[in-house]
Amino acid sequence: MKEGKMIAMLLAGGQGSRLKLLTKDVAKPAVPFGGKYRIIDFPLSNCSNSGIFDVGILTQYKPYHLNSHIGIGSSWDLDRRTGGVRVLPPYTNEQGGRWYKGTANAIYENISFIDELSPEFVLILSGDHIYKMDYSIMLEYHRNKKADVTISVVEVPWEEASRFGLMHVNPDMSVIEFEEKPKKPKSNLASMGIYIFDWKALRRYLIADEKDPNSGNDFGHDIIPKMMNDGKKLFAYQFEGYWKDVGTIKSYWESNMDLLADSNTLDLYDRNWKIYSKNRHLPPHYVSKDASVVNSLINEGCRIEGSLYNTVLFNEIMVGKNAQVVNSVVLSGAVIEEGAEVYNAVVMEDVVIKAGTKIGTKDDTVVYLVSKNKIIES
Amino acid sequence: MKNCLGIINLSEIDNNFGVLCQSRPTSMLPFAGRYRVIDFILSNIVNSGITGIGIFTGNKVRSVMDHLGSGRPWDLDRKINGLFLFTPTYDYTSTYKRVGDLDLFYQNNSFIKYAKQENLFLAKSYMVANIDLNEAYEKFVESDSDICMIYKPVEDTDHAFIGCDMIHLDSQGNFDSIGTNLGKNRAFNLSLEMYFMKKEVYFDILFDAIEKGSANFLKQALFNTLHKYKVTTHAFDGHVSCINNIKNYTDANFAILDSEVSNDLFFKNGQIFTKVKDEPSTYYKSHAKVKNSFVANGCQIDGYVENSIIFRGVKIDKGAIIKNSIIMQKADIQRNAHLNHVILDKRATINAGVTLIGEPNNPYIAGKKASIVKEVV
C-alpha cells in the first residue's frame, strides 16, 4: 500500500440547517441514524473497511458532540501508530484566524497536513450521506482511467434529478458537463460529493482558487468546473446501491424508515462490511409480556411494554404499557409513557411523551419533529 | 483505591456445566444476552477505581485471551497499571506438589511484590453481582484490618448456595469463623469470595503454606491461618447469583427478566463492560412476536419468543417458537423449529422443523456449533 497512497478528507463542518432542531446542538454528520449510528459512521466505516487509514476530519459547526464521538478513532479501528484519524478544525496563524469559507477552502487550509502525509491521491468525502461503498474499487477505477479527477455518481429518478448536481457523461464515462441543480436535467447521474483527485493537480487548483477573489471556494461550483475548462480528465464512477442524502426532516425520517422496508438495500447485518460506531456498553433490551413489536429496530438498553410498529428505537428508551409508536424514529433516552400514541414522528433525545398524549394520526402524510419544547410539522 | 491491586483467580469449578464448559472456564460462560460471567467482577473492580488487575487464567486459556484481549473494553489497556494475565506454566524445578493454585501464585510472585500498591483485592468470577467495592475498602482501611471479607446475608430457600463458603459472626457482629454451607440453615451469610487483604499478610499466608506444605489452594491456606489475623467483614445487600452449576446458571440468566434484578445487576453501582461486537440494532420482522424476553443487538427475529434470553446476532425464522430458553450468540433457528427449555451454545444451527424439548430443571443443551437436523425428543 506504500505506492500510490490515498488519504481521505472528510468534510464534517456543515450545519444541515434544513434538519432544523436535529442540528441545533450537533453538526449534521453527528445526527443519529438507524438506531445506533451517527451519519458520519458510514463514511468512517467505509474508510476503514476500504483500507484507508489516514482520515482528516474537517470540523467547524458545533463540533463538541462530533469530536467526542470521533475521539481517537478507535471505534473505526482508526487509532493508528502512524496515520489514523485527525480532527482538523479551523486555526489561526500569523495572518490571524479564519473560518473555512467553503469545501475547497477547508482543504486548502490543510495543505500542509496533506503534504506531510504525502499521498498520491486524495479522497474527498462528505459526512452527510448514508451509503456503503468500497473506495478502493473507486481508486482502482480512477487509476485505470488515468483520470485527474473521478467523481462518484449515482442514478437518481428523473423527476428528482433537478435537486442534484448532475454529471452529463460520454459512453466511456468521461464527463462532458456538470450542472448544479438544473431546471431541465440532461442526465440523471447525480454527484455524490465523493471525489478522488491526484493530489499534485488538486494542490495547484486549490492554490489558484484561493487567489481568485470571485471564487466561492467550493468543489462543485469552482474547482470541478475549472478543471473541466482546462481540459483535465474527469471521469464519473457509477455507484450502485443504497445512497441517501438526509437533507431534510422528511428525508431523514424516510431514510430511517427505509431500513424497515422489504425492499431495503442497505444491509446493516453484512459481517463483511460492518458499520462501526461508538459503543455505549448497555445491557440488551427487554420486551415485556404485554408488548408487541413488529417490523421495528430496537437498540440496547430499551424497555418495551407497549406496542411498536414500523419504528426505529435508539438506546435507553422506555415505552410504557398500552403506548403505541407507529412509523416513527425515537432517539435515545426518550420516554413514551403509558397510553401515549405517536404516529409519523421523529422524537428527539430525552423527550418525555406524557401519558395519554397523542402525536399525529394513523393516516398522516406530514412528519412531526418532537423536541422538548415544541413540535414542528414537516 | 489507588493503593489497591486487583487479583482475579479463575481456577474455578467448571465440571458442573457439561458441554458448555468443554472449551471454556466458568468465567467465560456467556451470560445475560451479551456478557461473560467474568465481566461482572471485572467491571466492579474497574468501577471501584482500581486500575491494575492481575488475572490468573486457569487452564482453558484460549477463551480467556480471546475475550480479554488488551483489556480495552474495561479501560485496562493502560501504560500505568492495566491488565496482566498469568497463564499456567510448566516448571521442572518445583520441589512441592503441583496441585491447586498456590504454586501458580508463587511463580508469579514478582507481579504482586513489585507492584506499588500495598493492598490487594482478591476475587473469583462466579459470584455475579454489581457491587460498590469502595464501601468495603473504606471499612478495611479505617479499621486497619488484615483481611476484610464481603458477604451477603441470604435466605437460601431453594438450596442454590450448597457448597459455597459461609461466614459466621459473633453476637457483636464481628467475624467468628468461615466454613462450607451444607444446607442445614436456610438463612446464613454467604461469602462472595471477595477479600481485601494487606499485601504483607498475603505473602505471609502464601509462604507459610508452601513452606509447611499445609495447603494446595490459596483459599485453603487463608482459612488455615485466619485466626492469626484481624479479620473484618462487609455486608452487601444487592442481587447475587452463584454460577457453579447448570441449574444456577440457568436461573441466574432468567433472573434478569425481573426488572428489579436487571436494574440492580446492570445499573446500580456502575455499568458492566464487555467485549464489543459492533452489531446493528435488532430487527423485528413482520411475523415477530416476543414476550417477556431479553434480546441483545444484531438479531433478526421473525418468530415467536417467550421467557427467553437471546444473545447477539441470533436469527429466528418465521414460524419458529422459542420458550424458556437461552440462545447464545449467532445461533440460527430456522423455520418452524420449536425449542422449549433449551440452552443453545454459540453458533448452533437448528434446522427447519426440529423440536427440542428440555425440562425446567434439566434443560436440553446443544454444544458450540451444533447443527441439529433430525427430531430429538
Side-chain angles (χ1 to χ4, degrees):
Chain A
M1 281 297 282
K2 262 261 154 84
E3 288 271 306
K5 182 164 88 168
M6 179 161 80
I7 70 158
M9 296 295 274
L10 207 167
L11 299 158
Q15 180 187 352
S17 55
R18 287 174 303 154
L19 287 172
K20 296 172 185 164
L21 287 171
L22 279 174
T23 54
K24 190 174 150 280
D25 298 319
V26 298
K28 185 174 168 190
V31 168
F33 177 83
K36 73 170 286 187
Y37 308 101
R38 292 183 188 266
I39 296 172
I40 198 172
D41 292 337
F42 288 83
L44 281 178
S45 301
N46 287 340
C47 280
S48 53
N49 284 332
S50 303
I52 299 168
F53 300 124
D54 292 280
V55 184
I57 302 180
L58 300 130
T59 62
Q60 177 151 290
Y61 176 82
K62 295 193 176 171
Y64 169 69
H65 284 282
L66 189 57
N67 288 349
S68 75
H69 182 69
I70 296 162
I72 57 167
S74 51
S75 301
W76 305 271
D77 225 4
L78 290 171
D79 53 329
R80 302 261 153 183
R81 194 185 56 240
T82 43
V85 77
R86 270 89 150 203
V87 176
L88 305 167
Y91 55 91
T92 61
N93 61 13
E94 304 84 341
Q95 279 100 46
R98 321 182 270 286
W99 296 107
Y100 293 148
K101 291 181 283 182
T103 51
N105 174 252
I107 307 298
Y108 168 82
E109 293 285 359
N110 289 289
I111 282 178
S112 56
F113 164 76
I114 300 174
D115 280 345
E116 210 153 284
L117 295 169
S118 63
E120 193 170 328
F121 307 103
V122 173
L123 171 69
I124 306 291
L125 300 171
S126 90
D128 297 356
H129 304 134
I130 307 293
Y131 64 106
K132 291 174 25 169
M133 177 172 173
D134 189 339
Y135 304 130
S136 67
I137 296 173
M138 182 174 166
L139 176 63
E140 215 176 288
Y141 178 92
H142 176 83
R143 288 173 132 163
N144 289 342
K145 293 282 185 191
K146 300 197 167 55
D148 295 305
V149 192
T150 300
I151 302 159
S152 184
V153 295
V154 65
E155 220 171 284
V156 294
W158 280 101
E159 58 273 21
E160 287 177 32
S162 57
R163 286 177 38 220
F164 297 92
L166 300 172
M167 294 286 159
H168 191 36
V169 297
N170 288 318
D172 71 344
M173 295 305 275
S174 58
V175 179
I176 306 165
E177 198 183 354
F178 173 72
E179 292 180 298
E180 185 70 22
K181 295 175 188 159
K183 290 227 169 72
K184 283 184 187 158
K186 287 179 209 155
S187 148
N188 69 336
L189 294 177
S191 164
M192 298 163 69
I194 299 168
Y195 312 99
I196 292 179
F197 288 95
D198 274 33
W199 173 233
K200 277 184 199 151
L202 175 62
R203 198 178 186 282
R204 276 199 305 278
Y205 276 87
L206 288 175
I207 292 168
D209 179 67
E210 186 63 17
K211 285 183 186 145
D212 177 358
N214 300 319
S215 171
N217 309 112
D218 184 85
F219 277 107
H221 285 109
D222 306 293
I223 301 284
I224 299 290
K226 266 181 218 158
M227 290 180 111
M228 283 215 57
N229 286 340
D230 293 355
K232 292 278 169 193
K233 283 207 274 179
L234 276 77
F235 279 88
Y237 168 77
Q238 191 166 350
F239 170 74
E240 271 163 37
Y242 186 91
W243 179 81
K244 192 112 181 177
D245 178 13
V246 283
T248 63
I249 300 284
K250 191 104 187 230
S251 71
Y252 173 77
W253 173 83
E254 272 168 10
S255 54
N256 276 285
M257 290 297 119
D258 283 348
L259 296 172
L260 304 173
D262 284 335
S263 55
N264 174 34
T265 48
L266 184 73
D267 182 9
L268 295 174
Y269 297 87
D270 179 4
R271 298 201 186 282
N272 297 319
W273 205 272
K274 276 191 186 181
I275 303 302
Y276 303 100
S277 190
K278 191 172 161 182
N279 264 280
R280 290 180 179 77
H281 292 283
L282 294 166
H285 64 262
Y286 174 73
V287 180
S288 84
K289 65 179 192 342
D290 308 313
S292 149
V293 183
V294 176
N295 210 40
S296 296
L297 281 171
I298 307 182
N299 194 10
E300 290 161 335
C302 293
R303 189 172 176 84
I304 316 300
E305 296 181 37
S307 95
L308 303 178
Y309 184 77
N310 257 349
T311 286
V312 176
L313 292 195
F314 280 71
N315 45 290
E316 295 160 284
I317 292 159
M318 305 293 144
V319 179
K321 276 184 194 156
N322 300 317
Q324 292 246 21
V325 187
V326 180
N327 297 334
S328 295
V329 182
V330 185
L331 304 191
S332 47
V335 179
I336 318 284
E337 292 186 350
E338 267 191 57
E341 291 181 27
V342 180
Y343 297 93
N344 281 31
V346 176
V347 180
M348 288 185 58
E349 283 104 342
D350 303 321
V351 168
V352 178
I353 301 201
K354 292 263 183 257
T357 313
K358 280 188 186 175
I359 293 170
T361 60
K362 246 177 216 164
D363 313 306
D364 261 329
T365 48
V366 291
V367 174
Y368 302 90
L369 178 65
V370 185
S371 72
K372 274 184 183 163
N373 313 315
K374 56 180 170 184
I375 299 174
I376 299 176
E377 287 182 28
S378 180
Chain B
M1 278 295 183
K2 213 179 150 230
N3 200 18
C4 188
L5 188 68
I7 310 266
I8 305 177
N9 180 7
L10 301 184
S11 47
E12 295 167 294
I13 301 162
D14 60 12
N15 51 12
N16 288 337
F17 297 94
V19 70
L20 294 179
C21 278
Q22 202 166 51
S23 58
R24 61 165 81 92
T26 309
S27 57
M28 290 299 144
L29 276 169
F31 181 70
R34 66 189 293 266
Y35 303 96
R36 303 283 183 146
V37 166
I38 195 177
D39 293 336
F40 288 81
I41 188 64
L42 200 49
S43 301
N44 287 332
I45 295 176
V46 168
N47 288 337
S48 76
I50 292 174
T51 55
I53 301 181
I55 296 183
F56 287 84
T57 62
N59 287 320
K60 290 165 184 168
V61 183
R62 187 205 59 82
S63 164
V64 179
M65 294 293 190
D66 180 24
H67 184 66
L68 297 176
S70 64
R72 185 191 262 174
W74 302 270
D75 220 6
L76 288 171
D77 54 333
R78 298 287 102 202
K79 188 180 268 187
I80 302 162
N81 293 318
L83 183 69
F84 299 85
L85 297 173
F86 304 107
T87 59
T89 52
Y90 192 80
D91 181 4
Y92 297 98
T93 58
S94 286
T95 51
Y96 49 91
K97 286 179 289 184
R98 292 184 58 90
V99 177
D101 55 19
L102 257 195
D103 140 52
L104 202 59
F105 277 102
Y106 179 70
Q107 282 178 38
N108 295 295
N109 203 23
S110 51
F111 163 67
I112 295 171
K113 195 169 153 193
Y114 295 120
K116 292 190 186 85
Q117 292 87 340
E118 290 168 304
N119 297 313
L120 302 178
F121 173 71
L122 294 158
K124 295 198 164 186
S125 76
Y126 77 108
M127 290 288 183
V128 170
N130 189 337
I131 299 187
D132 179 4
L133 296 173
N134 281 294
E135 291 173 11
Y137 187 64
E138 270 165 37
K139 211 167 180 178
F140 166 72
V141 173
E142 272 165 28
S143 61
D144 194 29
S145 314
D146 293 318
I147 297 162
C148 179
M149 297 181 161
I150 303 177
Y151 70 92
K152 177 183 158 70
V154 291
E155 197 75 44
D156 190 17
T157 42
D158 45 2
H159 294 303
F161 301 114
I162 297 282
C164 294
D165 296 339
M166 64 199 297
I167 288 175
H168 303 276
L169 306 176
D170 65 16
S171 50
Q172 274 92 50
N174 294 321
F175 177 81
D176 184 39
S177 67
I178 188 163
T180 304
N181 170 41
L182 299 176
K184 226 173 97 192
N185 297 309
R186 288 277 156 94
F188 68 96
N189 296 321
L190 172 74
S191 164
L192 301 186
E193 294 204 43
M194 298 176 190
Y195 319 112
F196 282 101
M197 194 184 288
K198 284 180 180 163
K199 206 152 97 175
E200 73 229 34
V201 172
Y202 165 83
F203 286 129
D204 215 20
I205 293 171
L206 180 70
F207 292 160
D208 193 63
I210 292 174
E211 289 191 339
K212 289 190 180 140
S214 59
N216 296 324
F217 291 89
L218 186 66
K219 188 164 109 178
Q220 206 181 351
L222 171 70
F223 288 5
N224 285 346
T225 50
L226 275 179
H227 58 275
K228 285 172 34 188
Y229 303 107
K230 182 176 176 186
V231 181
T232 51
T233 56
H234 174 76
F236 168 67
D237 62 358
H239 176 81
V240 173
S241 286
C242 164
I243 315 288
N244 60 357
N245 58 47
I246 286 185
K247 170 81 170 70
N248 281 349
Y249 169 75
T250 313
D251 291 348
N253 271 289
F254 290 137
I256 64 165
L257 294 175
D258 178 341
S259 64
E260 258 175 57
V261 172
S262 64
N263 280 333
D264 187 310
L265 212 48
F266 297 134
F267 300 109
K268 197 175 179 189
N269 293 310
Q271 279 180 292
I272 305 301
F273 305 100
T274 190
K275 189 177 171 187
V276 163
K277 299 278 187 202
D278 289 289
E279 294 282 358
S281 299
T282 279
Y283 183 25
Y284 289 78
K285 299 184 181 178
S286 48
H287 301 95
K289 205 167 181 191
V290 177
K291 305 278 168 202
N292 191 36
S293 295
F294 250 88
V295 184
N297 264 3
C299 298
Q300 299 176 66
I301 301 175
D302 208 14
Y304 181 86
V305 180
E306 189 183 344
N307 303 334
S308 293
I309 312 292
I310 312 293
F311 282 67
R312 292 184 279 199
V314 170
K315 271 190 197 160
I316 301 170
D317 286 355
K318 195 175 146 187
I321 298 171
I322 297 169
K323 289 180 182 172
N324 310 306
S325 294
I326 298 167
I327 310 295
M328 293 184 201
Q329 207 181 310
K330 290 186 185 167
D332 180 6
I333 296 151
Q334 299 174 356
R335 272 177 176 250
N336 304 325
H338 184 182
L339 311 183
N340 196 356
H341 296 292
V342 170
I343 300 177
L344 286 192
D345 206 332
K346 285 164 69 178
R347 294 171 185 273
T349 305
I350 307 300
N351 284 274
V354 169
T355 301
L356 298 175
I357 311 284
E359 291 165 42
N361 288 326
N362 189 17
Y364 180 96
I365 302 175
K368 223 170 160 176
K369 295 179 197 158
S371 174
I372 298 177
V373 186
K374 72 173 188 210
E375 288 205 12
V376 184
V377 180

